[in-house]
Amino acid sequence: MSLPRYKVTMLALTVGLATVFVGCSSNPKKEVVDTGPKSNEQTYYNNAIKSLDRGQYGDAAKALEAMDTYFPTGQYAQQAQLELLYTKFKQKDYEGTIALADRFIRLNPQHPNLDYAYYVRGVANMEQNYDSLLRYTSLKQAHRDVGYLKIAYQNFVDLIRRYPSSQYSVDAAQRMKYIGQELAESEMNTARFNLKRKAYLAAIERSQWVIEHYPQTPQIPEALATMAYGYDKLGDKDTAQQYKDVLKLNYPNLVKSNGEVNIRAARKEGSWWNRATLGILGRGEKAEVSKDTNTETSSNSEQQSSLLNKVSFGLLDRPNREVSKEPARADESLYDGQRK
């Protein structure tokens, strides 16, 4: 029995298409052959520095990555790795920046600028928490996942512990202070949610964590008020009264005349800047980050570095806040004597 004409046509088309796809997939792809370096190490490095000075970070990254591939033990190898850290950060490749910093720390434990790698790693982790479209929405920074902020906090702790005299330690300490406020806000946000669902014990635990671990943050008044309010709701009047006494002594406006806790007023007690919705305007002031890792830099270079460090990535950054989200660039003067 013969097939209908349209079925024969469809079968022929199907077989033909299958033959074409099989034929295409069987054609071997042309392999990219690495012909080796196209110039010497000095030329690669000079081209990378010129590209960095012009803000051409893509070209700089290519030159520095080529140096890392072809001259891993060359004269400029370690300096090129530091420059590549800065370049990747400027390209907002934060994961790449962190990976490079980890590698540099692992391979160069005695390098004089190792503190720079620790610092950039922390800043990159910090920026990963804000690098999304959510930073321009009404969603508070601390109300999202703060995992990267916790990692950044530990990165800065490591920096300060290992290099307490580093010029980056002051800025790292300021960033830790800000991160502490964000983490405290994150805990209190969860506590507020628990109060709404009448999970008073959970709210108390979150508030107690803030009091114990973030004692210098603007969220402390609300945390104390939440504990007093929560214990009152649980029927533990004695413990609730203890926290009310603390509130009366330090924040008398948070306790009403009838002895009840004014929980709404407590939520407004924190600094407005630390409760800003966009996060961009909610950051505390941080020390400016010098772009020079060489202490013997001329005053003109310091003034130029100060000006450059006021430039931030945020659209709404203003000079009065002087929030530098940009890590220092590796000091190229370290190798001036080796350049031709």
Side-chain angles (χ1 to χ4, degrees), residues 170-242:
V170 174
D171 183 76
Q174 292 295 325
R175 291 176 183 271
M176 287 174 63
K177 181 179 179 181
Y178 167 71
I179 291 174
Q181 295 176 3
E182 290 284 88
L183 296 179
E185 174 63 20
S186 178
E187 294 292 333
M188 290 311 304
N189 181 58
T190 305
R192 295 176 203 127
F193 173 75
N194 287 327
L195 284 183
K196 289 181 180 179
R197 56 193 289 262
K198 298 183 180 181
Y200 301 115
L201 183 58
I204 289 172
E205 290 176 349
R206 293 284 183 169
S207 301
Q208 186 172 3
W209 181 270
V210 171
I211 294 171
E212 292 178 356
H213 296 275
Y214 312 111
Q216 303 299 323
T217 59
Q219 288 76 17
I220 290 299
E222 183 183 356
L224 290 170
T226 300
M227 295 194 71
Y229 183 83
Y231 277 117
D232 202 5
K233 290 294 184 180
L234 289 174
D236 189 347
K237 302 298 182 181
D238 292 338
T239 305
Q241 188 59 46
Q242 292 177 7

Side-chain angles (χ1 to χ4, degrees), residues 78-139:
Q78 293 178 331
Q79 182 65 14
Q81 292 172 18
L82 291 175
E83 300 286 5
L84 188 56
L85 273 178
Y86 176 78
T87 303
K88 288 294 184 181
F89 188 94
K90 293 292 290 185
Q91 291 181 308
K92 297 188 178 183
D93 181 3
Y94 302 125
E95 291 184 359
T97 301
I98 294 166
L100 288 170
D102 287 337
R103 189 186 71 163
F104 188 87
I105 292 170
R106 184 176 67 256
L107 298 180
N108 305 280
Q110 302 300 324
H111 195 276
N113 294 113
L114 191 61
D115 57 337
Y116 174 79
Y118 276 97
Y119 173 70
V120 175
R121 181 176 64 176
V123 177
N125 269 312
M126 190 174 179
E127 285 309 305
Q128 286 215 98
N129 201 77
Y130 304 102
D131 186 40
S132 70
L133 293 176
L134 289 176
R135 69 185 304 169
Y136 304 113
T137 69
S138 60
L139 183 63

